[in-house]
Structure formats: structure tokens, C-alpha cells
Amino acid sequence: MSKFERTACLIKQVSRNPGQLAAGIALAVTFAAGVFADMQNQAVHHQRERAFVSKQLGQVRARLEAEITSGIQLVRGLIAVIKLEPDLDQQRFSRIAQNLMGDEPLLRNIAGAPDLVISLMHPMEGNRAAIGLDYTKDALQREAAMRAVETGDMLLAGPIDLRQGGRGFVARFPVFLDEERTPETLWGIVSTVIDVDAFYAASGLDDENLAIDLTIAGKDATGVDGPVFYGSQSVLDADPVTATVSLPGGSWHVAATPRDGWSSSPPNAWLVRSLLFLAGLLVVLPILIAGHYYDRHRADLRELNRRERQLERLSQRLKLALETSRIGVWEMDIETRKLTWDSRTRELYGIDADAPEPSFEECDAMSHPDDRAQARMVFEQAIASESRFENEIRIYDRKGVMRWVRTIGAVSRDAQGHTTVLGVNWDISQDIELKSRLMDANRKAELRNLELEDARALMEYNSLHDSLTGLPNRRYLDQRLAVGTDGGGTSGGDEPITALLHIDLDRFKQINDTLGHAAGDAMLVHAAEVLKASSRSDDFIARIGGDEFVLAITGEASEADLGRLATRIIERMRQPVPYENQECRFGVSIGIAFAEAGTPDYGRRLLIDADIALYRAKKSGRNRHEFFTPELKAEIVNGRSLADEILAGLERGEFIPYFQPQFDAWTLDVTGVEALARWDHPERGVLAPDTFLKAAEELNVVQMIDRSILEQSLFQQARLASAGVQVPKVSVNVSAGRFNEPGFIESLGNLGLTAGKLSFELLESVFLDERCEKVAGNIEKLKALGIDIEIDDFGSGYASIVSLLNTRPSRLKIDRRLVMPIVECDQQRQLVASIVEIGRSLDIRVIAEGVETMAHAAILRDMGCEGLQGYALARPMPSAHLKEFLCRERARHIA
Ligand code: C2E
Ligand code: CA
Ligand code: CA
């Protein structure tokens, strides 16, 4: 903390506690006053001490002067006699001196020196040695004697050590005769010795009662500057009281201090200080206490203010919270049942702000009749158990509006034992409504899921069954054949297949062409019935193509058994079938092969073997059966005529596209065309794909056909465009083999594609490939090239919704086998509707193929299917016809 901060902090602290400040000031003032009083006390004491010393010194000084003066007066008496009798002799001198001195102890002797030579002496005894001393010649005394003669006045010298022992002052008086005459006549000198000890004793310097230390300076009467001859020098240095002793011809300087020195403090100092302290205490203590209480009072006030502000803030917050959350607060006195409501509770019940408080009964009556009993019970139980309660009830407010209200309350008891119920309530109508809507939506979603699940199950069933005969289809057969090969397949518990009958209807195409599809269909259904009737229950019957069936045998069966079974079937099939007042006849050829269990891929081989046998049966005249043999196989493989023809046809460019237009379901505008491969055979005419695709697949040349069709289609599209006829979009079929062909995507880069004008139709199975990620990756690349992706024959295979989500194609093309029955069959219609719905929910457009009648078109349009393709609208046609068709369409449109 800096100095400035510390000061600021201190100021703040003090300003918060003014009581402390007052006490501090009082303390400082009292202390200063105490110190001042103490100093005053000392000063008074000091003065008193000096006065005392001064008084004693005065007495001593007076006595010193008196003693000297009295001694001198005696000598002056003698001098007076000498002036009268200048020639007095020793005897006379001694007698007068004797009289004058009496028993004065102070004067030791008096000597007379007429003409400056000592010749007179009293007493002579002890002083005889001085007789004859000539002042003019004595070195020691001459100077002093001459000075006295010159000044004409007495001079006091000493103290000095005396010849006769001891110490004394010597007073020398010059004596002049004939004083009126000038010059005066010098008689000589009279001197006397004053005994020092006697002098001191007489002056009271030895007095025991003397309470001062005394020093006398001014030897030889030299005054303040003379040397000290009595007492100690130190007195002079200790701030003494001084006085001057006046002497004839000079002075002494006397100085005194108290005997024990100046006392540093007065004896009553501590008493005075104690009294001062007590007095100070009496002043400061009350201020301190009062200040303390004042500060505490102020702190309490501050705290009170703070709490008040806090309370205010809290209550404001609470108010805001209650207002924004629209929670109402109410209270009820349990004894009187009186209610107190706040404005929000009133609002909730639709009661005006100025209306009187409703009674408990009125409030009760506002609840919904169905909720009333329960609400009352919950409330009364809470009161009885003095506990909390929570409830949700409906109420009708004053305006008759119904609301859901949630109430939470609790019983509380105050110190006086008075009980009330305090509670909150708020409007939860919206929550309840939302909840019920969510539950409704949930129910619907569940229902919808069930429907979708049903649809999925149906689709799965459909994917494995032929819709016309209800028999398993080719895919199911493949799965069934897989059993025993690798243990896989859907029907894991099934017995392995031991033999296969491949059955093909003869003359079926004629019936179809002459009597129509319905007749053809009826024949197929009949054939299925015959097969079922002819086989055992655990045998497996499938329809694997337009007019092809397979009867797979499980368990032991000999060649003879199967021969008999084939003959039986052939016999029954040959029976005429009545159809619309006519009799239809057709026959069957059957190829039979036995499984070589344990060989790899035996299912597929079994089918090929049976196919080879069938081929032979047909070749050698119809209505017969044939068993497969390796020799037969060799024969066929060597023959290979169809395959050779296809390869030759490819080389000669005999595979050409036919175009079948596609339409917008609502406007019936042409939205695009599907390119379908045709073999323009030099001898057999234009052939449909069912005659060559299978063989081409076995030869692995479908990719080549696909490529050729794509290139020709694009060429035709461009050619038509340059002739002013726009083909909005061409869809080409892409086989799985081509789709997975290395370099496929790259090869497309060179074709000069325009985005949105080309679409690829992929079979559902392509999407189900286990290398789904790779497929998805390729699809993304195609999309990036501006090529649309469609799932062909959707609903016939296993395309799952998940795979749709993964690959996100632009269009679904509903399989024509699903579409064709929708006019008669409700269930089929439902199924197609579900598919349309799935497409829509995933934001994928849906087109239907196999639209054979305008009734189909209307149903599909109403379902929400966007695109239509089928014989009812247009058949596949060569490019030359397509140009005419499009021009006509355009003309129709303009008209
Ligand atoms: P798809 O792709 O399902 O083609 C539609 C088939 O339904 C065409 O038979 C078309 O003539 C026929 N169709 C159109 N409208 C109707 C209708 O209203 N009723 C009925 N019953 N049929 C209708 P198409 O041309 O014989 O082709 C058969 C299949 O051969 C095609 O089925 C497709 O899977 C395959 N295909 C045709 N062209 C090619 C091709 O260039 N490459 C490959 N890989 N496959 C092709
Ligand atoms: Ca197609
Ligand atoms: Ca199709």
C-alpha cells in the first residue's frame, strides 16, 4: 500500500468514526495542558529555590561586610591617634592598640611603619620578626604598599600565607598628616592582619545551618574577575545566585548554589503529575466512552441503512420475479378462513383490483366441478398435517374462461401459534396444452412408425416375392440357394437343396400379345397353382422371370422321381385353361440339374446347369424335360452362338437407344426421357433387353452396351437441340458392373456434360452393396459432375431408408411391378403411397414407371408423385420418332 493510499484509508477510517477523532483531540489537548502545567510547576519551584539561596547569600554577604568594616573601624581609631601624636612610641602604640583591639579575635596584629619602615607592633609577641621591614625595599610588599600610598586609601590584600603561620588578609592604610595642606605629609603605613579562619567563622561561613555552597572570588579585592579563594570553582559553573561584597578599594564576588545542587524536579512533581493525570483522565475518559458509543451508534445506523437498502433490493427483485413469472401469491387464515390475494392471483381468477376479496367458499366454487373434491381433499389434508401441498386444477375465472392453475402451498405457524396457509399459483394452461399436443404428436408418430414398419415389412416381403403369383422371386431363390454353400441366407434353418427344376412356359408370349397382359397374367397365376399342386410342401417354388419358374427340391430324390415329377407337371400344364370364354393353351419345357453338395458356389452353378438342361429341352422340341450332363454343358459352351452374336452386334453398333418420355404428373409436360437399350438385329428385328441382357451379363459386356447407349443418347440430345428441340433430361441405366468399373467416373469427364441434363438410373442393389462407402463416394463424385442420381425399381429390392439417407439420390423411381396393380388393389396403393411419403419426408423426388392407364396417372398424381413414365403416356421410341413426339407435344402445349 502506498503512503497516499494509507493516508486515504486512515482518513476514511477516521471519518467513519468521528468519536475516535474527538477522543484523540481531547487526549492531545489534555496532554499538552498537563505538560504545560508540569513545566509551570517546575519553574515556580526553581524560582523559590533561588530566592532561598539568594536570601542566605544576602545574610552571608552582610556579615562579611560587617566583619571587615568593624575590623577596619578599629584601625581607623588608631590612625586618628597617630595623626594627633605622629611621634608616639612603641609603648603608646601598643597600649592604644591594646585598647582598641580588646579581645577582638579577628585582628591578629597591628603594625605601624613611620616613613615606611615597620617600627611599631602590637602585640610584639610573635610578631617581632616584622620589625625593621622597609616597604620601599621589601620586594614582596613594596608594590602593594606603594599602591595604597598612591591611591591614598586603604587596600585589602589576601588572603595570603603569613610568615608567622596561618593565613590572613592584610589591610594597609596610608597615613597622612596635615590633611588640609597640599601636598599632604605622609606619615607612613599602618597595617593589620585579619585572621582568615576567625573572619570566616565570624561571618558564619562555618555555620552548620547554612544550606548553601558558597564560593568567594576576587582575591586582593579584585572583584568578579579575581581568582577564587574560598569554596569551589564548580559553584560558579552551576548557575549560581551571585552578589558583590563591597570593600574599601575593591570588592569580592560571592556565588552560591544549594548545598545539594539545584534539584531537577520539584518534590511535589509526581503528586502534581498524578493529579494532572487524574484530571486528564476525568476529561478524556468520558469523551472516549461517549465517542465510542457515538461511533457504535453511527455504525449501527449504517448497518441499518444497508440492511434496509438490501431489503428494498430484495423485495424489488421478488416483485419483478413474481411479475415476470406471473406467479400470484395468496394467504389464508386457517381459523377465520379469510383469504388475502395479491394482484396477480386476482388477475388469474379474473377478479377486479378494487373488488372485495373473495371468500374461501367463492374461491372453492370457481374450481372445475370435476377437480373440486380432489382439490379440497389435498388442501384439507395439508392443513391437518401442517405440511406442504401441490396441486394442478382447472378453474373458471369470473369471466367464465377456463384455466389450468398450479398451486403450491404450505402451512406455517407463527410465534403466537397462529396458523396460516401461504401459497403461490400460476397459469399452466399453455404447458398443459403443449403437453397434450406433444402427446398427440407422439401418438401419431408412433402410429406412423407402425405404418412405416408395416410398409417396410411389406416391402421386404415384396422384395422377395412376385406380386402376381405370390411366389418367391429370383432374389429369394438366390438366398435359398446360398444355404448349404456358406450357411448364410435368410432362411438359415432350411434344408439344403438337392436338385433344381427350371421351368419355362412355351407360347406364353403369343398369349400375351394376342390376348393381352391380363390373359398373360392369368396364365402365370395358373402355372403357379399347377406347380404348387404338383410339388411337396417343403419344396421351394419361385418365379424368376417373366415366364420362368424354378422348383427347388429338398431331401432325397432320384432321377426317376424327378423325371416322373417333370412329366406330371408337363401333363398338367398342357391342359387348356379357360379365360374369358376362351381356352388358352401353353406348354412348358423343364431343365433338371442335381446339386453337387460341397462344391463352391453350388447354388449358382445349379441354376446354370438347370438352365443348360432347359435350353436343350427347348431345342429338342417343347413340352419335355431334360437332365443336365457335363457333356451337354460342353456342347452349349462350344455353341455360344448368342454370345458371339452380341459381341459382333456391339462391333457393328447394332445396340441403339430408344427413348421413353417422362412427364410431370400435374401438367403432363415432358420433363425428360429414359434411354432404353435395343438390339437392332439384322435378322430378328429390334430386340428388347430381356432377350440379350442376361447373356450380355454373363459375357461381361453390359458395361460396353451401357457406355454405347450413354454416348449415343448424349449425341442424340445434342443433335435434337441443334435442330431446336430440347430434351430437358436424359436418364440412362447404369449396371452395377459399370458403376463399379475402374475409371468409370473419370471417363465421364470427357463427355462435355451440361449439369442437370443427365441422370443415372442405378438399381437398388447397387446401393446395398457392402462397399457402401465407396458407392456413396462415387455418387458424390457423380453429383459433383452435375449428374442426377435415381434409384431404379425402388420398392422391389431391399433399399432401406438408411441407405437413402446415406446416399441422398435426387429421385426414387417406383418399380413398375408395384405401380401396375394400384388401380385394383388397395393394399398395393397403400404401399406406393408410403413410398411417396418416405420420399417426400426425405426431400427426394418420386417418379413412377409402369403408368399403363390414365387411372394410374390420376392416382399417382393425387398421392403426390411428381413424375410419370409409362405406356399410357408414351412408349419407348427411336430418336427419329422422339423428335416428332416432342414437336407435337410442344404444339399441343402452345395451342
Ligand atoms: P427398366 O429400367 O425398369 O425400364 C423400364 C422398362 O419398363 C422398359 O422395358 C420399358 O419399356 C418398360 N415400360 C415402360 N412403360 C411401361 C408400362 O406402362 N408397362 C409396362 N409393362 N412396361 C413399361 P425394357 O425397355 O424392356 O427394359 C427392360 C429393362 O432392361 C429395364 O428396366 C432395364 O433394367 C434394362 N435396360 C434397358 N436398357 C438398358 C441399358 O441401356 N443398360 C442396362 N444396364 N440396362 C438396361
Ligand atoms: Ca430404368
Ligand atoms: Ca424400372
Side-chain angles (χ1 to χ4, degrees), residues 617-646:
K618 278 194 183 257
K619 270 249 165 109
S620 16
R622 300 167 184 228
N623 281 324
R624 48 179 296 142
H625 70 266
E626 203 71 49
F627 283 95
F628 169 80
T629 57
E631 298 77 45
L632 193 58
K633 188 178 177 182
E635 216 173 280
I636 295 280
V637 168
N638 290 336
R640 270 198 154 192
S641 55
L642 179 62
D644 291 340
E645 268 187 81
I646 290 173

Side-chain angles (χ1 to χ4, degrees), residues 318-330 342-348 406-408 423-428:
L318 182 65
K319 200 168 147 212
L320 189 71
L322 288 174
E323 252 161 30
T324 46
S325 60
R326 311 199 60 74
I327 292 178
V329 181
W330 54 267
D342 74 347
S343 57
R344 281 172 299 275
T345 305
R346 279 168 170 274
E347 231 172 82
L348 199 59
R406 184 170 176 78
T407 298
I408 299 176
V424 290
N425 47 16
W426 66 96
D427 191 342
I428 54 163

Side-chain angles (χ1 to χ4, degrees), residues 670-731:
V670 175
T671 55
V673 295
E674 180 178 10
L676 296 158
R678 293 290 183 269
W679 185 0
D680 195 3
H681 197 276
E683 291 136 33
R684 290 158 67 195
V686 175
L687 300 177
D690 57 347
T691 54
F692 57 82
L693 267 187
K694 217 157 122 191
E697 226 168 81
E698 274 175 21
L699 281 171
N700 233 347
V701 293
V702 189
Q703 293 97 295
M704 289 167 72
I705 296 177
D706 282 358
R707 195 180 314 137
S708 164
I709 295 296
L710 170 64
E711 283 165 4
Q712 292 183 66
S713 299
L714 290 173
F715 171 71
Q716 292 299 348
Q717 193 181 24
R719 198 179 61 85
L720 285 172
S722 64
V725 181
Q726 294 300 333
V727 180
K729 176 179 282 184
V730 179
S731 305

Side-chain angles (χ1 to χ4, degrees), residues 514-546:
T514 53
L515 300 176
H517 288 289
D521 289 352
M523 292 312 112
L524 291 172
V525 172
H526 171 76
E529 292 305 323
V530 170
L531 287 177
K532 276 186 227 166
S534 312
S535 57
R536 291 179 306 190
S537 63
D538 44 359
D539 291 341
F540 182 90
I541 310 166
R543 180 176 170 217
I544 62 166

Side-chain angles (χ1 to χ4, degrees), residues 674 733 761 792 813:
E674 180 178 10
N733 294 283
E761 292 190 17
D792 205 357
K813 204 165 177 189

